[in-house]
Amino acid sequence: CLENTDPRTRGRGIQLLSQVLLQCYSLLQEKEVLHLVLFYESRLQDHHLVIPAVLQGLRALSMCEALAPGLAVSVLKAIFQEVHVQSLLQLDRYTVYSIITNFMSSREEELKGLGADFTFGFIQVMDGEKDPRNLLVAFQIVRDLIGKNYALGPFVEELFEVTSCYFPIDFIPPPNDPHGIQREDLILSLRAVLASTPQFAEFLLPLLIEKMDSDLQSAKLDSLQTLTACCAIYGQKELQEFLPSLWSSLRREVFQTASEKVEAECLAALHALSACLSRSVLSSDADDLLDSFLSSVLQDCRHHLCEPDMKLVWPSAKLLQAAAGASLRTCHCVTRSVVPLLLEQHSKHPQSSQRRTILEMLLGFLELHQKWGHVEEEESALAALRAPVCSVVFSAMTDPSVQLQLVGIRVLTVLGSLQGFLSPSDLELTVDHLLRLILHEEDSQSSEAAMEAAGSLAPIHPQSFSGRMVPRLAEELQSGRKREQEGGWAARRPRQRCLQALAAVSTHTSIVRETVPALLQHLRQLHKGSEAGSVQDVVSVCQSLQRVALQCQQDAESCWYYHQTVVPCLLAMAVQAAMQESTHPPPGKALLEEEALAAMASVISAACTHLSPELAAQSVSHVVPLFLDGEVSFLPQNSFPCSFQPFEDGERLEAQRRLVALLMAFVCSLPRTVAIPQEERLLRELLALSCSSNCPFTATTAAKCFAGLVNKHVEGQQLDEILQLAVSRMEPALTEGPRRAQALTLLLWVRPALRARGRAMGRDSPCPLCCALQVTKALVLRYHPLSSHLTDKLLGLLADAELGPAAADGFAVLMADAPDVLHKGCHADVRIMFRQRFFTDNVPKLVQGFHGAGPDVKANYLKGLSHVLNHLPKPVLVSELPTLLSLLLEALSCTDRVVQLSTLSCLQPLLLEAPQIMSMHIDTLVTKVLGLTSSPTMAVRIAALRCAHALTNLPLTVLLPYKPRVIRALAKPLDDKKRLVRKEAVAARGEW
């Protein structure tokens, strides 16, 4: 074939040889490679039909390690001389680029020996290329030519022209493109070429200026982004000639554009230009372009700042801030010119709206100084302006305008963060102004902003806040209760703000040591004698304590001080309240209410989660004996009237048993590495209490505590014995007994899990199912083998007419994020993708059970399924949608409002993420969703309207036949008695 006179036959022979070489090129020896290279080079002069096969063979040889020196140069010279590359097909051109790429990666020094001839040869190869697949490779070759310092010689302009002709990229990928090349890929690849060398500057910058003036927004954006990239490698030499034109184009775009994207890119480009000029090293006889450039910027923008009501004031301020933010030098130069002007304008414009604009501009320039920290030059630039700046800010803090106050607070926060800027007297005034706004300002926005500012400044100036603000807040807190009793809610507001402010400023160890005792002292007063407070008062203090705990978590010293101060104090007050049974009602009864105990539990949990294992072990050695043995010696003020026995029987001890909630918060928040003393005994006591207590709150918290400990327990015989004991206690009680009826009420974590969806819940009931759900969840999270057995037991209860509904709601407990115990924040053992695993193992059983169940219990299976699907990650749900959609649609016909709400919540994101699949069931979806817009339950009506809104994401051709019907049906909810329903109805009907 190779010697045949017919070119097609010769081509087939060379093609066969090339295919063989592509399979075995790594096995060839040097002499064989030499012989083959010489053969293929001679074939490049053959008929054009043979060339594609020859190039394939050369590609195989370019990958040979046994290639003798000089052969790579020989092959490329032959290609450059004999092949007109751009007349070949796309695949053959791609082969040429591959040969060049292979040689550049393996024979770099040889190719560099060609000098500029190699660059010229490649320019000929690339010139006229149009296919995006080839362009990506060609652009990479150009980047390597420049980045690896190949000789460009006299061909710099030619190389620029052969690449810049594609700028800006206007490629639109065809639909269903199998190659997946996007316009952005080409844009970034070409930009990397254009911004790869300063040698392109004299050709590129005029092109960028021209494209910036284009009417196409995409061309403007591409040009601005390319300019920003170029500034990273350019110096003053490259920019000098073009700076006036560049500034003119940038200024015009910012002043005139209606596009936020174009404005943002213009500001980024100006920032990059200023940074480039700032870092250029000057020779002694060179002009400093930065000063002249900034002078132009100031000259064109400064006068607009004198017109705070005109439209160019903000564009001018943004331009100046972009230039000033580039370096310390630009910041110093612009600030020195602009800040005195803004202060002057503030005095000339008395209106609050104008002063707010001026102050917001001043804020932008001051924030730039934060970026550079404490520098002598920076300090001197602002030092002379300290007095007038502070005067302007303090006047804003006392202005009646809330919006001006808010800006003043932000400026004051920045000033306080500038090291050494505020004098001691200024700091005193700062604290006084913030304190006044916190306690006495009518508008809550200003008060909250002042608290936030105090929290930001307190760690920077701890002495000023601990010596001036904290004592006055504590004093106000002590005197506030008497005024509250006399003046009602208006007098109560300052006390609430005191609590919030004490928490907000607790951002430094020295301040925490003053705020925590003040908060605890207030809590003691609330539950003593005639000062006994309401539950809400206790909750408010605990919320402040919890915030302090969260702020202390990142500092080991603060964390340990807080823990050893707060935890014993809260336990002592709770134990004292539980023991005072002789009076009725006991003075500390508020501390024993569920809401108060839950708030105290949150404080204790936050105080324990970030303890080091050593300190946690030290603390747990006191707390567990307190509950198991009544050991109260470590508690402050530990002279109690009777012994503390929370796990003993007896009606008079019910108040003590409620404190298991605090034990739960403590032991379930410790790191997993901390050993719990007497853990087996504690687990047995908790299990017994959870199955026997008549108090729903006590049984619930005991079961949660048991589950939290089981989840963290190390594998082994002890864990297996405890779990077998738990199963043996629960299973008989679930089968028969007086407590089965109590299980009909929603259990344990179902209430908080569903309350967020608007469902009104009754009280929890103690029952074996309560403990079963907690143990099951604890084991599901850690993939324990027994979890399958307990889950199967729960699935079996769905067919029970009495316990079925409660068991169905139990699936929400298993799938939802735990709010207090079984979550990663408390160091629980939560395995990755446990929901997906639960779905895979149990949803087929739910579907099978549904099809085999009687009509009276089918709703239980639908409810359980809806809970599982509603908590499943949406990508997983979308992939399983075709098999489950019919059941979801059937669930919409269920009369149970929980099933309806859960299913609608599940369907809404699916309508957005899987419109093609959902379109196949459009008739059923429209009918059922519109029917539920008239549900008696408000939450269901809202969810149905959101689904009706989401339906508009389906293809237009699918929706049009239903448009009149939907618009008519959605007219009724427009008159709904609930505002939230009307709001959703307006949005949905408007979209239709």
Side-chain angles (χ1 to χ4, degrees):
C1 289
L2 297 179
E3 296 178 344
N4 197 289
T5 56
D6 180 24
R8 288 182 175 80
T9 305
R10 289 201 306 280
R12 286 198 296 272
I14 295 174
Q15 183 179 11
L16 174 59
L17 176 60
S18 297
Q19 289 173 343
V20 171
L21 290 176
L22 283 168
Q23 297 294 326
C24 67
Y25 64 86
S26 61
L27 307 177
L28 297 176
Q29 297 177 11
E30 186 173 317
K31 289 183 179 180
E32 295 168 336
V33 173
L34 173 62
H35 189 74
L36 288 165
V37 166
L38 294 175
F39 167 74
Y40 274 105
E41 284 182 1
S42 68
R43 292 303 89 199
L44 286 174
Q45 301 172 4
D46 204 335
H47 195 278
H48 68 88
L49 293 175
V50 177
I51 299 303
V54 175
L55 292 174
Q56 287 294 338
L58 288 173
R59 182 168 74 90
L61 295 173
S62 72
M63 293 185 283
C64 289
E65 293 183 5
L67 195 70
L71 288 183
V73 172
S74 176
V75 169
L76 289 179
K77 280 184 175 180
I79 292 175
F80 293 160
Q81 292 172 6
E82 304 296 342
V83 183
H84 185 252
V85 176
Q86 289 307 314
S87 65
L88 301 175
L89 296 176
Q90 179 271 327
L91 182 60
D92 302 324
R93 302 197 305 275
Y94 189 89
T95 302
V96 175
Y97 295 127
S98 299
I99 294 170
I100 296 174
T101 300
N102 291 339
F103 283 145
M104 289 181 73
S105 62
S106 62
R107 298 290 188 272
E108 180 179 333
E109 293 305 320
E110 291 181 35
L111 300 191
K112 286 182 177 179
L114 277 172
D117 289 343
F118 175 60
T119 302
F120 180 70
F122 173 73
I123 291 172
Q124 289 180 308
V125 167
M126 182 184 175
D127 192 12
E129 182 59 67
K130 294 181 180 178
D131 191 278
R133 292 165 287 182
N134 292 348
L135 283 173
L136 285 177
V137 183
F139 290 156
Q140 181 61 52
I141 292 173
V142 178
R143 291 210 299 276
D144 289 341
L145 279 173
I146 297 169
K148 295 180 179 179
N149 297 316
Y150 282 78
L152 304 185
F155 304 115
V156 173
E157 185 173 1
E158 285 78 3
L159 187 60
F160 172 77
E161 292 294 340
V162 83
T163 52
S164 65
C165 62
Y166 303 100
F167 183 86
I169 296 288
D170 58 359
F171 169 68
I172 299 175
N176 304 318
D177 179 18
H179 308 290
I181 296 177
Q182 300 298 316
R183 178 172 175 268
E184 191 66 19
D185 300 329
L186 290 167
I187 288 174
L188 294 176
S189 187
L190 176 57
R191 185 177 302 150
V193 170
L194 298 177
S196 61
T197 173
Q199 296 180 71
F200 284 167
E202 61 179 305
F203 316 112
L204 177 59
L205 291 175
L207 175 63
L208 295 180
I209 293 169
E210 176 191 339
K211 297 303 180 183
M212 273 190 250
D213 298 338
S214 167
D215 293 331
L216 291 175
Q217 179 172 313
S218 59
K220 290 180 187 289
L221 292 172
D222 203 354
S223 302
L224 291 164
Q225 290 165 354
T226 304
L227 174 61
T228 301
C230 289
C231 287
I233 63 165
Y234 286 2
Q236 291 200 12
K237 175 185 173 183
E238 288 78 23
L239 294 174
Q240 182 172 6
E241 179 184 349
F242 305 99
L243 275 177
S245 298
L246 287 169
W247 164 238
S248 177
S249 296
L250 293 174
R251 181 192 63 217
R252 184 185 63 254
E253 288 300 326
V254 173
F255 281 174
Q256 297 180 1
T257 187
S259 167
E260 291 183 2
K261 289 183 179 179
V262 173
E263 180 188 84
E265 294 300 338
C266 284
L267 297 175
L270 177 59
H271 180 94
L273 280 172
S274 300
C276 177
L277 296 174
S278 298
R279 66 173 175 267
S280 297
V281 179
L282 299 177
S283 59
S284 58
D285 58 342
D287 294 330
D288 185 1
L289 291 181
L290 180 61
D291 279 344
S292 59
F293 180 68
L294 289 179
S295 296
S296 299
V297 175
L298 287 165
Q299 180 180 347
D300 291 339
C301 296
R302 195 172 180 271
H303 62 280
H304 291 300
L305 303 185
C306 301
E307 305 164 344
D309 291 330
M310 305 302 286
K311 68 176 184 178
L312 291 183
V313 63
W314 271 116
S316 299
K318 290 177 181 178
L319 285 167
L320 288 168
Q321 288 166 7
S327 68
L328 175 62
R329 189 173 160 209
T330 58
C331 183
H332 175 69
C333 180
V334 174
T335 300
R336 185 173 52 197
S337 174
V338 170
V339 172
L341 176 66
L342 292 176
L343 296 174
E344 179 186 339
Q345 295 304 310
H346 184 274
S347 62
K348 290 182 178 180
H349 295 85
Q351 294 184 8
S352 294
S353 60
Q354 295 172 325
R355 288 191 164 186
R356 188 183 76 183
T357 301
I358 294 168
L359 210 55
E360 285 175 338
M361 289 189 288
L362 177 63
L363 173 64
F365 289 103
L366 292 174
E367 284 175 336
L368 297 176
H369 285 266
Q370 280 184 307
K371 177 180 177 181
W372 304 109
H374 180 66
V375 182
E376 293 299 328
E377 184 181 8
E378 176 213 341
E379 186 182 40
S380 64
L382 284 177
L385 303 172
R386 176 186 293 122
V389 168
C390 289
S391 175
V392 164
V393 176
F394 291 147
S395 70
M397 303 278 280
T398 57
D399 195 274
S401 168
V402 172
Q403 297 304 316
L404 186 54
Q405 287 179 9
L406 293 174
V407 181
I409 292 170
R410 290 167 59 198
V411 176
L412 191 59
T413 305
V414 173
L415 293 178
S417 67
L418 297 177
Q419 185 178 350
F421 185 83
L422 294 179
S423 66
S425 59
D426 291 332
L427 279 172
E428 290 182 4
L429 274 174
T430 297
V431 172
D432 291 344
H433 279 296
L434 292 175
L435 192 61
R436 177 184 53 78
L437 290 173
I438 289 171
L439 295 178
H440 305 300
E441 175 58 43
E442 291 291 327
D443 188 88
S444 61
Q445 280 184 286
S446 295
S447 177
E448 291 169 4
M451 290 183 203
E452 185 178 349
S456 300
L457 295 177
I460 303 173
H461 308 284
Q463 292 182 345
S464 297
F465 281 84
S466 62
R468 196 167 184 88
M469 178 175 279
V470 175
R472 291 173 64 181
L473 286 172
E475 180 183 349
E476 181 69 26
L477 192 61
Q478 298 303 321
S479 60
R481 184 162 182 79
K482 182 177 180 180
R483 290 199 305 271
E484 179 189 329
Q485 292 171 342
E486 298 171 353
W489 169 250
R492 183 179 185 181
R493 182 177 60 194
R495 191 167 65 88
Q496 292 295 321
R497 289 184 176 180
C498 276
L499 292 172
Q500 296 168 3
L502 283 170
V505 298
S506 301
T507 49
H508 189 274
T509 304
S510 63
I511 301 177
V512 170
R513 291 178 180 272
E514 297 185 21
T515 56
V516 166
L519 290 169
L520 292 176
Q521 178 61 28
H522 184 62
L523 187 60
R524 290 190 192 97
Q525 288 183 351
L526 287 176
H527 94 282
K528 280 183 180 178
S530 60
E531 292 291 315
S534 70
V535 175
Q536 189 54 49
D537 293 329
V538 174
V539 171
S540 296
V541 181
C542 288
Q543 286 172 344
S544 293
L545 284 169
Q546 184 184 9
R547 180 174 177 181
V548 177
L550 295 175
Q551 291 167 178
C552 290
Q553 286 178 346
Q554 303 308 317
D555 181 74
E557 181 185 352
S558 298
C559 187
W560 178 235
Y561 166 78
Y562 182 93
H563 180 88
Q564 64 181 355
T565 304
V566 174
V567 173
C569 183
L570 291 182
L571 289 173
M573 283 189 280
V575 169
Q576 186 177 37
M579 289 182 177
Q580 289 173 344
E581 296 276 353
S582 55
T583 56
H584 185 75
K589 184 172 176 59
L591 290 179
L592 302 177
E593 295 294 331
E594 290 182 23
E595 195 175 353
L597 285 172
M600 293 169 69
S602 297
V603 175
I604 292 175
S605 177
C608 295
T609 52
H610 283 66
L611 281 182
S612 66
E614 298 76 19
L615 296 177
Q618 179 181 334
S619 187
V620 75
S621 65
H622 296 301
V623 174
V624 171
L626 167 67
F627 282 85
L628 289 179
D629 305 315
E631 179 56 59
V632 297
S633 58
F634 80 102
L635 298 179
Q637 302 174 355
N638 52 23
S639 57
F640 301 117
C642 60
S643 59
F644 182 58
Q645 300 171 316
F647 290 114
E648 297 294 329
D649 294 331
E651 291 184 8
R652 293 180 60 83
L653 298 177
E654 184 56 51
Q656 295 186 20
R657 286 194 283 269
R658 295 168 74 82
L659 302 193
V660 171
L662 306 184
L663 172 67
M664 172 199 75
F666 184 92
V667 296
C668 293
S669 300
L670 299 175
R672 265 184 272 174
T673 55
V674 176
I676 308 296
Q678 306 181 67
E679 186 171 20
E680 184 177 0
R681 177 187 167 193
L682 179 60
L683 285 167
R684 292 177 184 275
E685 296 285 10
L686 290 168
L687 178 62
L689 185 61
S690 67
C691 292
S692 63
S693 175
N694 291 318
C695 171
F697 178 77
T698 302
T700 298
T701 52
K704 284 185 182 181
C705 190
F706 180 84
L709 291 174
V710 163
N711 174 263
K712 296 180 186 178
H713 202 293
V714 295
E715 299 282 353
Q717 182 179 356
Q718 186 181 11
L719 176 62
D720 294 339
E721 290 175 357
I722 287 293
L723 291 175
Q724 289 301 326
L725 176 63
V727 171
S728 65
R729 292 285 297 268
M730 292 183 294
E731 286 190 341
L734 288 172
T735 306
E736 59 184 3
R739 295 189 184 275
R740 280 174 58 83
Q742 291 175 297
L744 289 172
T745 356
L746 289 178
L747 305 164
L748 201 55
W749 294 348
V750 181
R751 178 174 65 179
L754 297 183
R755 180 178 289 153
R757 296 199 290 271
R759 186 176 182 204
M761 297 295 163
R763 290 176 59 83
D764 297 314
S765 292
C767 65
L769 185 54
C770 169
C771 188
L773 288 174
Q774 308 323 308
V775 177
T776 305
K777 184 175 180 68
L779 300 182
V780 164
L781 293 178
R782 62 180 287 181
Y783 294 169
H784 193 279
L786 189 60
S787 63
S788 299
H789 172 75
L790 294 177
T791 306
D792 290 340
K793 184 69 177 177
L794 190 64
L795 285 165
L797 289 174
L798 293 175
D800 188 296
E802 185 181 11
L803 289 182
D809 285 323
F811 283 91
V813 174
L814 300 182
M815 295 294 288
D817 288 324
D820 45 11
V821 175
L822 293 175
H823 61 90
K824 288 186 177 181
C826 285
H827 311 287
D829 188 357
V830 181
R831 302 297 175 88
I832 189 172
M833 298 176 70
F834 81 90
R835 292 185 177 88
Q836 290 89 320
R837 178 168 176 168
F838 188 88
F839 171 86
T840 303
D841 292 345
N842 296 291
V843 165
K845 299 176 185 177
L846 277 169
V847 174
Q848 182 181 359
F850 169 80
H851 290 303
D856 55 333
V857 294
K858 277 185 178 290
N860 298 338
Y861 290 90
L862 288 176
K863 184 189 290 188
L865 179 66
S866 66
H867 284 318
V868 173
L869 298 183
N870 207 36
H871 291 92
L872 199 66
K874 292 303 176 280
V876 180
L877 185 53
V878 169
S879 65
E880 300 290 339
L881 189 57
T883 59
L884 296 173
L885 187 54
S886 58
L887 271 180
L888 284 173
L889 294 176
E890 189 167 346
L892 289 177
S893 303
C894 182
T895 56
D896 190 304
R897 62 183 180 177
V898 177
V899 177
Q900 293 172 350
L901 185 59
S902 206
T903 307
L904 289 168
S905 300
C906 187
L907 285 174
Q908 184 193 353
L910 294 177
L911 289 166
L912 302 175
E913 297 175 21
Q916 298 301 326
I917 299 174
M918 305 298 282
S919 297
M920 299 165 61
H921 301 269
I922 181 66
D923 191 68
T924 307
L925 280 167
V926 169
T927 302
K928 293 184 180 294
V929 167
L930 291 181
L932 291 175
T933 59
S934 302
S935 167
T937 305
M938 182 185 77
V940 174
R941 296 200 301 277
I942 290 174
L945 288 167
R946 287 175 179 167
C947 277
H949 193 165
L951 281 170
T952 59
N953 192 58
L954 303 185
L956 188 62
T957 52
V958 175
L959 297 177
L960 283 176
Y962 298 91
K963 177 180 173 181
R965 173 185 169 191
V966 174
I967 291 176
R968 283 196 304 272
L970 293 181
K972 181 180 178 183
L974 294 176
D975 292 327
D976 197 279
K977 60 183 179 181
K978 295 293 186 180
R979 181 184 61 84
L980 294 177
V981 177
R982 296 195 300 272
K983 178 182 175 182
E984 296 294 342
V986 167
R989 193 168 187 264
E991 198 64 32
W992 273 93

